[in-house]
Amino acid sequence: RGALEVSQKLFVAPDAETLVWDVAVTNRGGSPLEIDLFGYAELGQLESLLDVTWGYYVRYMFRTWFEQEALLYLYHHQSHPRLADLPLVYFASDRPVASFSGDRQQFLGWGRSERNPAGVERGDCGGGGLAGGDPCAALQTRVAVAPGATEKAAFFLGAIPKALGDFEGAKARLAAELERLRTPGFAEAQFGRLQAWWDE
């Protein structure tokens, strides 16, 4: 529309095991705007060599589902040499989630790619988890921006280590971590700490 300005900072938070998408949306026009923001990550088997050599055979050894207002991913290949160390991966936002999907085909659509995902066109990620196949983490959130105002939203891709050794404990650690990540101003403060570290 020419009235919308969107910028993004992508960085690893110094104080968390998470990659942060810090998105700022500015309305330069004279009318209020409501927009949908989509965050997306393709998920694999956590090790590139395993993806290349055994990916076709072990692509059914995982699960994606939605819990604690986050898309969760657990890979659980029983012959993995460090099975107890495998993490619980999460994709979350600091804003309410309007829709989600853990199924790459559902979100992207048949014959499509990340350049033209069907979920964005239809305005809904699809709402499905997955038990085997091609996983992803897709979240949709909505942002209302008044004329002349800027609104921010953040997405977080991270991991809770050693999830299979103590799954209930990992979910409790996840709840605490998500609460911390969703604290107002967390992303901005972490980016400031990162800049200070580089300056030093």
Side-chain angles (χ1 to χ4, degrees):
R1 297 183 195 183
L4 195 62
E5 180 181 300
V6 181
S7 64
Q8 173 182 268
K9 295 174 187 163
L10 186 64
F11 63 95
V12 175
D15 299 326
E17 297 287 336
T18 189
L19 177 66
V20 180
W21 285 258
D22 187 17
V23 182
V25 181
T26 302
N27 183 354
R28 302 290 185 197
S31 302
L33 294 175
E34 185 171 305
I35 66 163
D36 292 323
L37 293 177
F38 292 85
Y40 173 84
E42 182 176 317
L43 301 171
Q45 276 111 33
L46 308 178
E47 298 178 14
S48 59
L49 185 59
L50 187 63
D51 267 334
V52 171
T53 56
W54 291 99
Y56 182 80
Y57 300 98
V58 298
R59 62 200 294 253
Y60 300 102
M61 305 292 184
F62 72 86
R63 179 179 167 222
T64 65
W65 72 102
F66 190 73
E67 185 177 329
Q68 301 186 37
E69 279 290 296
L71 196 292
L72 306 183
Y73 171 71
L74 186 67
Y75 173 71
H76 52 82
H77 190 283
Q78 295 304 312
S79 64
H80 195 285
R82 298 181 311 281
L83 188 64
D85 292 339
L86 292 177
L88 176 61
V89 176
Y90 61 84
F91 191 53
S93 177
D94 62 354
R95 285 182 172 263
V97 173
S99 73
F100 67 90
S101 180
D103 182 338
R104 197 183 314 167
Q105 201 64 59
Q106 180 188 59
F107 178 69
L108 295 182
W110 290 102
R112 291 174 175 249
S113 71
E114 289 80 358
R115 286 181 294 182
N116 60 343
V120 173
E121 281 189 13
R122 68 177 174 255
D124 186 279
C125 292
L130 194 63
D134 295 311
C136 76
L139 295 179
Q140 174 192 15
T141 188
R142 293 192 171 99
V143 180
V145 194
T150 297
E151 293 288 337
K152 299 193 81 175
F155 295 96
F156 307 101
L157 176 65
I160 303 297
K162 300 183 184 297
L164 283 184
D166 177 16
F167 187 62
E168 291 306 314
K171 290 210 305 185
R173 296 196 310 273
L174 171 65
E177 182 69 349
L178 290 177
E179 183 177 358
R180 186 169 74 105
L181 296 176
R182 290 167 173 156
T183 302
F186 176 86
E188 187 174 353
Q190 287 294 294
F191 186 74
R193 281 181 49 74
L194 183 63
Q195 291 293 90
W197 183 84
W198 279 109
D199 289 343
E200 185 181 347

